Amino acid sequence: MYPELRLFIAGEWRKTNRDMPVINPATEEELGRLPCASKDDLDDALNAAERGFHIWSRTAPRARADTILRAATLMRERCEEIAHSITLEHGKPLKQARLEVIRGAEFFEWDAGEAMRTYGRIIPAAAGNKFAVHRQPIGVVAAFSPWNFPMSQPARKIGGALAAGCSIILKAAEETPAGAIHIARTFEDAGLPPGVLNLVFGEPEEISSYLIPREPVRLVAFTGSTTVGRQLTMLASQHMKSVLMELGGHAPVIVCEDTDVARAATLGAVRKMRNAGQVCTSPTRFFVHERIFDEFTSTFVTRAAATVVGNGMEDAVEMGPLANERRIAALSELVEDARAKGTNIATGGARYGHRGYFFEPTVLVNAPDDARIMQEEPFGPIAIINRITSLDEAISKANSVPYGLAGYAFTNRADYIDRMVDAVEVGNLSINTLEASMPETPFGGVKSSGCGREGGSEGLDNYMTIKNVWHSAKLK
Ligand code: NAD
């Protein structure tokens, strides 16, 4: 079920002399060897993407949309095969992998529709003059996608670029290459011209530092940590390239006293453990009103502790392993720091089992403000539940981190919702649901969570540039 691992450059699948292992995080077994791109491979990808841009940017939007839709249909047809690859390389339960494939196809379907709506505008002018604003594809995109959603993260970048008329060189995550390889195969089968989509792997820093300064690259699109996003933004700015940055988050959940406590706590515990918490919008810092704190905490802890952890290939499993071994060390350090500062570890807190990169579903209660985990994104199955006495206190704590990606609240009080809409510093605020975005809604962050939006009618903006045309009827 696991595909052959190759680079995809100029419409051809390529092996190289250097490679690296891809590991199943549930079993620690090697799934395959991933070719690493050399500078020559990257030069070939740049040349191919330049030629691809020439063809694709001149292709009618409807024809672009048709190709994207054909590829999305193939993704749906191949859902089972793609989902199996994702579970093998990432570890998430198979049913979550299937949902991810469908979500990836939905991103493409949305972007295909938007390809036909990249309208410009006419600006009123004096007689004999016409001002017209054209939106044009920005050029070659250098994109970098992470390992937490092996299929839907590459889909976001490829969908936006191709819908706008750009060509793209994507470096997908080396831990989880199969999701992007399956996407490239569907586009090959859907008839995308060679060079429009190129896929490379290798040493991330080596690839980004080579690609970003190169002439044809006009946009750097990255999803990953704030630290790496900042480095790539600095490099891009030295070469005056645009950036689209989807970075870390540390989502607050404000639980008000009027909510249905048992339902909110159960939903919170289930959503927190989805994808083993490796989601930039994962609900993490629960600020719970003192009147309902005890009931909320005990229901949440009971449900979190009952999470079925194991190999995502097994039916009953709710939570798989972490993506790689270094995440276990990172999470353990955060828990130990919180424990040393007086936090109650209500459940979990350590590696789970001896084989595979599993971590226990973990709930920390009453973590002090100076615990590292109150500022640093855990990116794992760890929830923090802290007591608050008022909405003002909750909002102030929600905003007390450098991040501002997703935020959540449980309440039916219109006055509370009104205050939070104005005051919570995030790009995506969800009330009474822990879903953060849909293909048709714009997704992205404020503060250190990045800049630019993916999805929604704003989703192609970063992939396009504006040209104003002034046409004078007479030579002046
Ligand atoms: P990391 O920052 O080292 O890597 C994150 C991703 O960026 C990986 O896919 C990696 O291949 C890529 N990357 C790293 N250095 C790069 C470079 N110089 N050029 C181009 N790409 C580069 O972190 P990690 O240990 O793999 O993951 C942990 C952290 O990453 C988490 O704390 C989380 O904040 C972040 N992360 C965020 C998302 C997201 O959806 N926003 C997804 C995955 C990881």
Side-chain angles (χ1 to χ4, degrees):
M1 277 300 213
Y2 199 69
E4 276 195 320
L5 303 175
R6 298 278 185 274
L7 313 182
F8 186 60
I9 295 173
E12 284 175 0
W13 295 96
R14 200 181 269 202
K15 267 176 140 176
T16 61
N17 319 332
R18 254 194 320 155
D19 63 17
M20 60 171 83
V22 177
I23 304 295
N24 179 334
T27 62
E28 299 183 38
E29 284 161 5
E30 187 172 305
L31 289 166
R33 306 287 308 181
L34 183 67
C36 299
S38 65
K39 291 198 169 139
D40 286 346
D41 295 316
L42 296 179
D43 281 335
D44 289 348
L46 285 160
N47 290 333
E50 219 173 347
R51 291 193 303 274
F53 180 70
H54 191 78
I55 297 166
W56 195 240
S57 59
R58 289 166 167 75
T59 301
R62 180 171 287 281
R64 296 204 296 257
D66 286 347
T67 305
I68 298 170
L69 288 174
R70 273 200 301 280
T73 303
L74 291 173
M75 284 167 216
R76 287 178 180 276
E77 286 169 13
R78 298 175 191 174
C79 178
E80 209 49 36
E81 183 189 352
I82 303 175
H84 266 85
S85 302
I86 291 175
T87 295
L88 285 173
E89 66 184 11
H90 178 277
K92 70 182 69 182
L94 195 50
K95 46 184 177 290
Q96 289 179 23
R98 290 189 188 108
L99 290 176
E100 185 187 334
V101 177
I102 300 304
R103 174 53 74 103
E106 286 171 356
F107 286 148
F108 282 115
E109 288 155 1
W110 173 260
D111 286 332
E114 285 303 288
M116 293 185 283
R117 288 188 281 272
T118 54
Y119 309 125
R121 92 182 183 275
I122 303 292
I123 298 173
N129 294 277
K130 296 280 180 279
F131 298 149
V133 177
H134 293 249
R135 293 175 75 208
Q136 299 180 330
I138 195 168
V140 174
V141 178
F144 305 88
S145 63
W147 40 258
N148 57 341
F149 290 96
M151 153 89 190
S152 63
Q153 292 278 22
R156 282 274 203 202
K157 308 272 178 277
I158 298 170
L162 298 195
C166 300
S167 59
I168 179 167
I169 305 171
L170 174 73
K171 189 204 78 61
E174 287 67 31
E175 289 93 337
T176 58
I181 286 175
H182 278 295
I183 294 179
R185 284 206 186 283
T186 61
F187 273 100
E188 184 185 28
D189 295 344
L192 186 74
V196 179
L197 165 61
N198 304 277
L199 182 59
V200 297
F201 299 100
E203 209 287 299
E205 207 272 330
E206 211 176 285
I207 295 184
S208 55
S209 61
Y210 192 76
L211 287 182
I212 292 171
R214 294 288 167 280
E215 202 325 277
V217 170
R218 295 293 164 81
L219 171 69
V220 179
F222 173 76
T223 298
S225 64
T226 295
T227 310
V228 174
R230 203 169 272 134
Q231 288 163 11
L232 300 192
T233 300
M234 286 195 300
L235 182 58
S237 72
Q238 276 166 17
H239 298 271
M240 212 49 81
K241 311 284 169 97
S242 294
V243 295
L244 168 58
M245 292 284 146
E246 299 292 359
L247 308 178
H250 203 334
V253 185
I254 298 177
V255 188
C256 301
E257 66 279 16
D258 66 298
T259 198
D260 178 336
V261 183
R263 285 189 69 180
T266 305
L267 182 66
V270 171
R271 283 299 286 195
K272 175 68 244 182
M273 304 311 159
R274 186 177 73 103
N275 222 38
Q278 302 169 119
V279 188
C280 49
T281 58
S282 187
T284 298
R285 295 175 298 138
F286 289 78
F287 297 113
V288 182
H289 193 273
E290 58 184 350
R291 239 185 279 157
I292 55 169
F293 182 82
D294 291 343
E295 185 190 349
F296 182 91
T297 304
S298 100
T299 309
F300 191 112
V301 170
T302 305
R303 181 62 186 90
T307 308
V308 183
V309 180
N311 188 324
M313 286 295 176
E314 289 161 24
D315 265 356
V317 164
E318 294 174 300
M319 186 178 103
L322 302 177
N324 53 52
E325 197 158 19
R326 66 182 184 276
R327 299 301 310 147
I328 295 178
L331 296 188
S332 304
E333 272 178 33
L334 288 174
V335 172
E336 284 324 307
D337 171 80
R339 194 196 306 271
K341 288 175 179 151
T343 306
N344 168 19
I345 317 295
T347 187
R351 185 176 192 154
Y352 176 88
H354 300 295
R355 196 170 171 74
Y357 311 134
F358 296 96
F359 200 84
E360 293 172 329
T362 299
V363 185
L364 311 185
V365 178
N366 287 328
D369 289 344
D370 66 345
R372 276 177 54 200
I373 199 154
M374 293 308 289
Q375 288 294 311
E376 295 176 33
E377 178 187 31
F379 217 69
I382 305 182
I384 306 136
I385 307 181
N386 280 4
R387 184 190 302 264
I388 46 106
T389 55
S390 69
L391 182 62
D392 283 343
E393 184 192 359
I395 292 173
S396 146
K397 289 197 180 289
N399 292 343
S400 68
V401 290
Y403 301 105
L405 191 57
Y408 308 93
F410 290 110
T411 183
N412 290 312
R413 280 188 54 167
D415 56 335
Y416 281 5
I417 295 169
D418 184 64
R419 291 237 310 276
M420 287 188 282
V421 168
D422 287 345
V424 180
E425 296 168 349
V426 291
N428 294 75
L429 177 67
S430 302
I431 316 284
N432 294 330
T433 172
L434 294 177
E435 301 276 351
S437 72
M438 296 288 283
E440 57 267 41
T441 59
F443 174 73
V446 298
K447 296 158 71 177
S448 294
S449 290
C451 50
R453 294 292 179 268
E454 296 185 308
S457 62
E458 295 81 357
L460 301 194
D461 289 352
N462 286 92
Y463 295 93
M464 307 204 81
T465 186
I466 303 284
K467 183 179 285 169
N468 186 63
V469 176
W470 178 343
H471 178 202
S472 167
K474 288 204 184 109
L475 190 63
K476 303 201 228 191

mmCIF file of all heavy atoms in Angstrom, residues 144-148 153 171 173-175 204-205 208 222-226 228 231-232 246-248 280 324 326-327 377 379, ligand 1:
data_model
loop_
_atom_site.group_PDB
_atom_site.id
_atom_site.type_symbol
_atom_site.label_atom_id
_atom_site.label_comp_id
_atom_site.label_asym_id
_atom_site.label_seq_id
_atom_site.Cartn_x
_atom_site.Cartn_y
_atom_site.Cartn_z
ATOM 1 N N PHE A 144 6.550 24.898 1.392
ATOM 2 C CA PHE A 144 7.085 23.945 2.371
ATOM 3 C C PHE A 144 5.940 23.511 3.267
ATOM 4 O O PHE A 144 5.330 24.331 3.947
ATOM 5 C CB PHE A 144 8.196 24.622 3.201
ATOM 6 C CG PHE A 144 9.277 25.200 2.328
ATOM 7 C CD1 PHE A 144 9.170 26.493 1.823
ATOM 8 C CD2 PHE A 144 10.371 24.432 1.976
ATOM 9 C CE1 PHE A 144 10.141 27.019 0.980
ATOM 10 C CE2 PHE A 144 11.355 24.947 1.133
ATOM 11 C CZ PHE A 144 11.240 26.245 0.639
ATOM 12 N N SER A 145 5.633 22.213 3.252
ATOM 13 C CA SER A 145 4.490 21.740 4.049
ATOM 14 C C SER A 145 4.964 20.768 5.128
ATOM 15 O O SER A 145 5.945 20.053 4.941
ATOM 16 C CB SER A 145 3.440 21.081 3.139
ATOM 17 O OG SER A 145 3.979 19.946 2.518
ATOM 18 N N PRO A 146 4.261 20.738 6.272
ATOM 19 C CA PRO A 146 4.706 19.930 7.414
ATOM 20 C C PRO A 146 4.095 18.529 7.436
ATOM 21 O O PRO A 146 3.291 18.168 6.576
ATOM 22 C CB PRO A 146 4.208 20.748 8.593
ATOM 23 C CG PRO A 146 2.931 21.335 8.102
ATOM 24 C CD PRO A 146 3.089 21.558 6.622
ATOM 25 N N TRP A 147 4.442 17.794 8.492
ATOM 26 C CA TRP A 147 4.120 16.363 8.573
ATOM 27 C C TRP A 147 2.809 16.065 9.303
ATOM 28 O O TRP A 147 2.397 14.915 9.354
ATOM 29 C CB TRP A 147 5.256 15.625 9.296
ATOM 30 C CG TRP A 147 5.804 16.396 10.476
ATOM 31 C CD1 TRP A 147 6.962 17.120 10.500
ATOM 32 C CD2 TRP A 147 5.207 16.556 11.769
ATOM 33 N NE1 TRP A 147 7.119 17.729 11.725
ATOM 34 C CE2 TRP A 147 6.056 17.395 12.527
ATOM 35 C CE3 TRP A 147 4.044 16.077 12.375
ATOM 36 C CZ2 TRP A 147 5.775 17.752 13.847
ATOM 37 C CZ3 TRP A 147 3.759 16.441 13.683
ATOM 38 C CH2 TRP A 147 4.627 17.276 14.395
ATOM 39 N N ASN A 148 2.157 17.068 9.895
ATOM 40 C CA ASN A 148 0.991 16.713 10.734
ATOM 41 C C ASN A 148 -0.241 16.313 9.918
ATOM 42 O O ASN A 148 -1.054 15.516 10.375
ATOM 43 C CB ASN A 148 0.659 17.834 11.730
ATOM 44 C CG ASN A 148 0.406 19.158 11.081
ATOM 45 O OD1 ASN A 148 0.799 19.391 9.944
ATOM 46 N ND2 ASN A 148 -0.261 20.053 11.798
ATOM 47 N N GLN A 153 -2.184 19.288 4.130
ATOM 48 C CA GLN A 153 -1.274 20.452 4.159
ATOM 49 C C GLN A 153 -0.695 20.730 2.769
ATOM 50 O O GLN A 153 -0.754 21.882 2.314
ATOM 51 C CB GLN A 153 -0.139 20.227 5.172
ATOM 52 C CG GLN A 153 -0.597 20.207 6.614
ATOM 53 C CD GLN A 153 -0.775 21.604 7.208
ATOM 54 O OE1 GLN A 153 -0.946 22.577 6.486
ATOM 55 N NE2 GLN A 153 -0.745 21.699 8.514
ATOM 56 N N LYS A 171 8.330 21.423 -1.291
ATOM 57 C CA LYS A 171 9.094 20.484 -0.466
ATOM 58 C C LYS A 171 8.154 20.040 0.632
ATOM 59 O O LYS A 171 7.841 20.798 1.545
ATOM 60 C CB LYS A 171 10.346 21.135 0.139
ATOM 61 C CG LYS A 171 11.229 20.087 0.811
ATOM 62 C CD LYS A 171 12.126 20.634 1.883
ATOM 63 C CE LYS A 171 11.424 20.897 3.186
ATOM 64 N NZ LYS A 171 10.821 19.700 3.827
ATOM 65 N N ALA A 173 7.026 17.358 3.774
ATOM 66 C CA ALA A 173 7.799 16.898 4.939
ATOM 67 C C ALA A 173 8.451 15.545 4.655
ATOM 68 O O ALA A 173 7.816 14.650 4.095
ATOM 69 C CB ALA A 173 6.880 16.796 6.152
ATOM 70 N N GLU A 174 9.696 15.412 5.059
ATOM 71 C CA GLU A 174 10.433 14.171 4.820
ATOM 72 C C GLU A 174 9.868 13.020 5.655
ATOM 73 O O GLU A 174 9.963 11.858 5.271
ATOM 74 C CB GLU A 174 11.929 14.365 5.145
ATOM 75 C CG GLU A 174 12.685 15.203 4.118
ATOM 76 C CD GLU A 174 12.253 16.652 4.072
ATOM 77 O OE1 GLU A 174 11.847 17.202 5.113
ATOM 78 O OE2 GLU A 174 12.294 17.253 2.969
ATOM 79 N N GLU A 175 9.264 13.331 6.811
ATOM 80 C CA GLU A 175 8.680 12.262 7.644
ATOM 81 C C GLU A 175 7.484 11.607 6.964
ATOM 82 O O GLU A 175 7.195 10.447 7.198
ATOM 83 C CB GLU A 175 8.190 12.823 8.997
ATOM 84 C CG GLU A 175 9.286 13.234 9.957
ATOM 85 C CD GLU A 175 9.635 14.701 9.836
ATOM 86 O OE1 GLU A 175 9.377 15.307 8.757
ATOM 87 O OE2 GLU A 175 10.180 15.256 10.805
ATOM 88 N N PRO A 204 15.834 20.060 4.808
ATOM 89 C CA PRO A 204 14.962 21.237 4.635
ATOM 90 C C PRO A 204 15.709 22.559 4.496
ATOM 91 O O PRO A 204 15.406 23.362 3.600
ATOM 92 C CB PRO A 204 14.107 21.225 5.913
ATOM 93 C CG PRO A 204 14.108 19.817 6.376
ATOM 94 C CD PRO A 204 15.421 19.221 5.947
ATOM 95 N N GLU A 205 16.713 22.778 5.352
ATOM 96 C CA GLU A 205 17.411 24.067 5.343
ATOM 97 C C GLU A 205 18.178 24.251 4.026
ATOM 98 O O GLU A 205 18.203 25.334 3.450
ATOM 99 C CB GLU A 205 18.353 24.108 6.556
ATOM 100 C CG GLU A 205 18.653 25.495 7.077
ATOM 101 C CD GLU A 205 19.839 26.104 6.383
ATOM 102 O OE1 GLU A 205 20.738 25.331 5.974
ATOM 103 O OE2 GLU A 205 19.875 27.350 6.229
ATOM 104 N N SER A 208 15.474 25.082 1.281
ATOM 105 C CA SER A 208 14.851 26.408 1.336
ATOM 106 C C SER A 208 15.882 27.495 1.061
ATOM 107 O O SER A 208 15.593 28.467 0.363
ATOM 108 C CB SER A 208 14.157 26.640 2.684
ATOM 109 O OG SER A 208 15.045 26.440 3.740
ATOM 110 N N PHE A 222 4.805 28.769 3.550
ATOM 111 C CA PHE A 222 5.320 27.816 4.546
ATOM 112 C C PHE A 222 4.267 27.552 5.608
ATOM 113 O O PHE A 222 3.576 28.471 6.065
ATOM 114 C CB PHE A 222 6.572 28.413 5.207
ATOM 115 C CG PHE A 222 7.101 27.614 6.378
ATOM 116 C CD1 PHE A 222 7.801 26.435 6.184
ATOM 117 C CD2 PHE A 222 6.891 28.045 7.687
ATOM 118 C CE1 PHE A 222 8.288 25.696 7.273
ATOM 119 C CE2 PHE A 222 7.370 27.318 8.774
ATOM 120 C CZ PHE A 222 8.075 26.135 8.566
ATOM 121 N N THR A 223 4.149 26.295 6.028
ATOM 122 C CA THR A 223 3.394 25.951 7.233
ATOM 123 C C THR A 223 4.330 25.181 8.140
ATOM 124 O O THR A 223 4.963 24.205 7.703
ATOM 125 C CB THR A 223 2.156 25.093 6.910
ATOM 126 O OG1 THR A 223 1.284 25.857 6.077
ATOM 127 C CG2 THR A 223 1.405 24.714 8.172
ATOM 128 N N GLY A 224 4.438 25.606 9.397
ATOM 129 C CA GLY A 224 5.335 24.937 10.337
ATOM 130 C C GLY A 224 5.531 25.803 11.557
ATOM 131 O O GLY A 224 4.668 26.623 11.892
ATOM 132 N N SER A 225 6.668 25.649 12.203
ATOM 133 C CA SER A 225 6.873 26.364 13.465
ATOM 134 C C SER A 225 7.176 27.843 13.228
ATOM 135 O O SER A 225 7.685 28.233 12.172
ATOM 136 C CB SER A 225 8.018 25.722 14.255
ATOM 137 O OG SER A 225 9.208 25.856 13.523
ATOM 138 N N THR A 226 6.899 28.643 14.238
ATOM 139 C CA THR A 226 7.172 30.075 14.150
ATOM 140 C C THR A 226 8.672 30.318 13.974
ATOM 141 O O THR A 226 9.082 31.208 13.222
ATOM 142 C CB THR A 226 6.631 30.782 15.413
ATOM 143 O OG1 THR A 226 5.203 30.639 15.406
ATOM 144 C CG2 THR A 226 6.975 32.256 15.443
ATOM 145 N N VAL A 228 10.998 28.495 12.417
ATOM 146 C CA VAL A 228 11.430 28.305 11.026
ATOM 147 C C VAL A 228 10.747 29.341 10.127
ATOM 148 O O VAL A 228 11.379 29.900 9.227
ATOM 149 C CB VAL A 228 11.116 26.865 10.545
ATOM 150 C CG1 VAL A 228 11.433 26.712 9.073
ATOM 151 C CG2 VAL A 228 11.901 25.846 11.365
ATOM 152 N N GLN A 231 12.735 32.441 10.125
ATOM 153 C CA GLN A 231 13.983 32.339 9.329
ATOM 154 C C GLN A 231 13.678 32.474 7.839
ATOM 155 O O GLN A 231 14.367 33.198 7.117
ATOM 156 C CB GLN A 231 14.645 30.973 9.549
ATOM 157 C CG GLN A 231 15.291 30.793 10.903
ATOM 158 C CD GLN A 231 15.536 29.306 11.202
ATOM 159 O OE1 GLN A 231 15.420 28.439 10.345
ATOM 160 N NE2 GLN A 231 15.870 29.020 12.454
ATOM 161 N N LEU A 232 12.632 31.784 7.394
ATOM 162 C CA LEU A 232 12.318 31.827 5.958
ATOM 163 C C LEU A 232 11.841 33.217 5.551
ATOM 164 O O LEU A 232 12.145 33.700 4.463
ATOM 165 C CB LEU A 232 11.270 30.768 5.596
ATOM 166 C CG LEU A 232 11.644 29.305 5.873
ATOM 167 C CD1 LEU A 232 10.654 28.363 5.196
ATOM 168 C CD2 LEU A 232 13.049 28.957 5.423
ATOM 169 N N GLU A 246 1.873 30.199 7.657
ATOM 170 C CA GLU A 246 0.907 29.606 8.587
ATOM 171 C C GLU A 246 1.731 28.955 9.686
ATOM 172 O O GLU A 246 2.298 27.876 9.482
ATOM 173 C CB GLU A 246 0.049 28.546 7.880
ATOM 174 C CG GLU A 246 -0.775 29.069 6.731
ATOM 175 C CD GLU A 246 -1.883 30.004 7.156
ATOM 176 O OE1 GLU A 246 -2.041 30.250 8.370
ATOM 177 O OE2 GLU A 246 -2.583 30.514 6.268
ATOM 178 N N LEU A 247 1.803 29.588 10.860
ATOM 179 C CA LEU A 247 2.777 29.153 11.865
ATOM 180 C C LEU A 247 2.093 28.578 13.103
ATOM 181 O O LEU A 247 0.948 28.148 13.043
ATOM 182 C CB LEU A 247 3.708 30.324 12.190
ATOM 183 C CG LEU A 247 4.340 30.967 10.934
ATOM 184 C CD1 LEU A 247 5.221 32.144 11.285
ATOM 185 C CD2 LEU A 247 5.103 29.943 10.110
ATOM 186 N N GLY A 248 2.798 28.590 14.196
ATOM 187 C CA GLY A 248 2.300 27.898 15.383
ATOM 188 C C GLY A 248 1.062 28.553 15.991
ATOM 189 O O GLY A 248 0.674 29.671 15.645
ATOM 190 N N CYS A 280 -2.091 22.772 14.588
ATOM 191 C CA CYS A 280 -1.784 24.145 14.997
ATOM 192 C C CYS A 280 -2.994 24.819 15.646
ATOM 193 O O CYS A 280 -2.842 25.779 16.391
ATOM 194 C CB CYS A 280 -1.236 24.955 13.831
ATOM 195 S SG CYS A 280 -2.232 24.793 12.355
ATOM 196 N N ASN A 324 7.403 11.800 15.425
ATOM 197 C CA ASN A 324 8.811 11.381 15.461
ATOM 198 C C ASN A 324 9.310 11.407 16.905
ATOM 199 O O ASN A 324 8.640 11.937 17.803
ATOM 200 C CB ASN A 324 9.674 12.269 14.555
ATOM 201 C CG ASN A 324 9.481 13.743 14.875
ATOM 202 O OD1 ASN A 324 9.597 14.155 16.021
ATOM 203 N ND2 ASN A 324 9.152 14.539 13.868
ATOM 204 N N ARG A 326 11.761 12.983 18.386
ATOM 205 C CA ARG A 326 12.139 14.239 19.065
ATOM 206 C C ARG A 326 10.932 14.916 19.719
ATOM 207 O O ARG A 326 11.076 15.693 20.647
ATOM 208 C CB ARG A 326 12.886 15.188 18.124
ATOM 209 C CG ARG A 326 12.085 15.736 16.974
ATOM 210 C CD ARG A 326 12.948 16.633 16.069
ATOM 211 N NE ARG A 326 12.131 17.214 15.018
ATOM 212 C CZ ARG A 326 11.844 16.606 13.876
ATOM 213 N NH1 ARG A 326 12.297 15.403 13.632
ATOM 214 N NH2 ARG A 326 11.084 17.206 12.964
ATOM 215 N N ARG A 327 9.720 14.613 19.257
ATOM 216 C CA ARG A 327 8.535 15.199 19.878
ATOM 217 C C ARG A 327 8.329 14.654 21.299
ATOM 218 O O ARG A 327 7.789 15.340 22.157
ATOM 219 C CB ARG A 327 7.280 14.928 19.037
ATOM 220 C CG ARG A 327 7.288 15.490 17.634
ATOM 221 C CD ARG A 327 7.454 16.993 17.592
ATOM 222 N NE ARG A 327 6.532 17.670 18.469
ATOM 223 C CZ ARG A 327 6.803 18.809 19.120
ATOM 224 N NH1 ARG A 327 7.975 19.392 18.987
ATOM 225 N NH2 ARG A 327 5.914 19.353 19.892
ATOM 226 N N GLU A 377 4.008 26.378 22.516
ATOM 227 C CA GLU A 377 3.037 25.453 21.921
ATOM 228 C C GLU A 377 3.499 24.010 22.149
ATOM 229 O O GLU A 377 4.589 23.637 21.721
ATOM 230 C CB GLU A 377 2.990 25.735 20.418
ATOM 231 C CG GLU A 377 2.084 24.837 19.640
ATOM 232 C CD GLU A 377 2.215 25.055 18.126
ATOM 233 O OE1 GLU A 377 3.305 25.421 17.647
ATOM 234 O OE2 GLU A 377 1.215 24.840 17.438
ATOM 235 N N PHE A 379 2.154 21.196 20.902
ATOM 236 C CA PHE A 379 2.011 20.423 19.668
ATOM 237 C C PHE A 379 2.021 18.927 19.973
ATOM 238 O O PHE A 379 2.785 18.136 19.417
ATOM 239 C CB PHE A 379 3.120 20.774 18.671
ATOM 240 C CG PHE A 379 2.623 20.784 17.247
ATOM 241 C CD1 PHE A 379 1.753 21.765 16.811
ATOM 242 C CD2 PHE A 379 3.014 19.812 16.343
ATOM 243 C CE1 PHE A 379 1.280 21.777 15.510
ATOM 244 C CE2 PHE A 379 2.544 19.813 15.033
ATOM 245 C CZ PHE A 379 1.681 20.798 14.620
HETATM 246 P P1 NAD B 1 10.399 22.220 12.747
HETATM 247 O O1 NAD B 1 10.120 23.646 12.909
HETATM 248 O O2 NAD B 1 11.822 21.768 12.743
HETATM 249 O O3 NAD B 1 9.745 21.682 11.384
HETATM 250 C C1 NAD B 1 8.425 21.963 11.003
HETATM 251 C C2 NAD B 1 8.341 21.750 9.501
HETATM 252 O O4 NAD B 1 9.175 22.676 8.852
HETATM 253 C C3 NAD B 1 8.861 20.380 9.051
HETATM 254 O O5 NAD B 1 8.034 19.900 8.030
HETATM 255 C C4 NAD B 1 10.259 20.649 8.536
HETATM 256 O O6 NAD B 1 10.615 19.760 7.491
HETATM 257 C C5 NAD B 1 10.147 22.045 8.016
HETATM 258 N N1 NAD B 1 11.391 22.787 8.125
HETATM 259 C C6 NAD B 1 12.238 22.830 9.184
HETATM 260 N N2 NAD B 1 13.295 23.638 8.915
HETATM 261 C C7 NAD B 1 13.106 24.109 7.661
HETATM 262 C C8 NAD B 1 13.832 24.990 6.817
HETATM 263 N N3 NAD B 1 14.967 25.596 7.204
HETATM 264 N N4 NAD B 1 13.337 25.246 5.584
HETATM 265 C C9 NAD B 1 12.180 24.686 5.159
HETATM 266 N N5 NAD B 1 11.449 23.851 5.910
HETATM 267 C C10 NAD B 1 11.900 23.574 7.157
HETATM 268 O O7 NAD B 1 9.638 21.482 13.862
HETATM 269 P P2 NAD B 1 9.317 19.966 14.107
HETATM 270 O O8 NAD B 1 10.109 19.471 15.264
HETATM 271 O O9 NAD B 1 9.298 19.165 12.856
HETATM 272 O O10 NAD B 1 7.820 20.190 14.548
HETATM 273 C C11 NAD B 1 7.524 20.777 15.784
HETATM 274 C C12 NAD B 1 7.014 22.176 15.668
HETATM 275 O O11 NAD B 1 6.622 22.476 14.349
HETATM 276 C C13 NAD B 1 5.789 22.333 16.519
HETATM 277 O O12 NAD B 1 6.140 22.912 17.732
HETATM 278 C C14 NAD B 1 4.869 23.192 15.713
HETATM 279 O O13 NAD B 1 4.909 24.523 16.173
HETATM 280 C C15 NAD B 1 5.423 23.217 14.344
HETATM 281 N N6 NAD B 1 4.521 22.642 13.355
HETATM 282 C C16 NAD B 1 3.461 23.395 12.994
HETATM 283 C C17 NAD B 1 2.575 22.926 12.064
HETATM 284 C C18 NAD B 1 1.396 23.736 11.653
HETATM 285 O O14 NAD B 1 0.452 23.189 11.116
HETATM 286 N N7 NAD B 1 1.432 25.049 11.856
HETATM 287 C C19 NAD B 1 2.770 21.676 11.499
HETATM 288 C C20 NAD B 1 3.874 20.916 11.893
HETATM 289 C C21 NAD B 1 4.766 21.430 12.818
#
